[in-house]
Amino acid sequence: MECRNVIVVGGSAGAVEPLRVLVGNLPRELAAALCIVLHLGNRQSMLPELFRQLGPLPAGWAADGDRLQPGRIYVAPPDHHLLVTPGHVRLSRGPRENRTRPALDPLFRSAAEAYGPAVIGVILSGMLGDGTAGFSAIKRLGGTTVVQDPKDAQYPSMPLTALANVTVDHRLPADAMADLLTRLVESRTPMAAKPVP
């Protein structure tokens, strides 16, 4: 099935718990691909296994060239940026951004360029400001922006930086995100992705 909606989610310190809540509450029939970046650096992690145990969606480490499929979770592997192109994901060992690889900004920027208004970007708990520049690209190209309420975040700096620099569409606690994302995806039937000039 062609993927017509992409949800890109990123977080850093304190983001594992809101990710657990979000993934655990998503429906099996989610009509969007879900791409996740967590600041892992080059550390090993069991995130895909954790996500598979928590919810109904299949989850795995993204592999270069994987086809984007709705109802599937793609996790950025350690020490690789996760990028979105029309219909596929790509991996890159390009320069660190915001002192980390994987970083949120490359994922958000690439998804905005590939899917425009069919992108929903989500920033969770974390320190400093990774994701804000990518959020700006999502907003500029017609996508939807969502942040974890800073009061709900263990480390509120990333949500606060996004709120201070981008007109954010939705601000809410982690336990309300799955319902919102599901409603957002169900409420629109965007055209098939076309590269944005």
Side-chain angles (χ1 to χ4, degrees), residues 98-172:
N98 300 296
R99 297 185 287 189
T100 187
R101 186 177 56 228
L104 281 63
D105 280 330
L107 172 62
F108 288 4
R109 278 195 314 265
S110 64
E113 290 167 5
Y115 280 85
V119 175
I120 302 168
V122 180
I123 291 181
L124 301 174
S125 173
M127 296 187 286
L128 303 177
D130 188 21
T132 295
F135 240 32
S136 180
I138 290 172
K139 190 71 178 173
R140 186 175 69 253
L141 294 173
T144 304
T145 50
V146 179
V147 296
Q148 183 179 5
D149 189 325
K151 294 175 185 172
D152 183 58
Q154 186 177 356
Y155 294 88
S157 178
M158 279 171 46
L160 284 170
T161 303
L163 286 164
N165 291 283
V166 180
T167 303
V168 172
D169 298 304
H170 302 276
R171 166 184 177 165
L172 68 169

Side-chain angles (χ1 to χ4, degrees), residues 9-17 19 35-51 60-62 73-82 91-93 96-107 125-127 130 158:
V9 181
S12 186
V16 172
E17 187 54 36
L19 276 171
C35 298
I36 296 176
V37 164
L38 189 65
H39 286 173
L40 297 172
N42 59 6
R43 297 186 307 273
Q44 295 305 305
S45 168
M46 303 287 285
L47 277 179
E49 291 86 346
L50 175 66
F51 295 155
W61 295 117
I73 299 173
Y74 302 83
V75 183
D79 205 30
H80 287 79
H81 292 309
L82 176 59
L91 298 181
S92 165
R93 292 206 68 237
R96 287 177 173 80
E97 295 195 28
N98 300 296
R99 297 185 287 189
T100 187
R101 186 177 56 228
L104 281 63
D105 280 330
L107 172 62
S125 173
M127 296 187 286
D130 188 21
M158 279 171 46

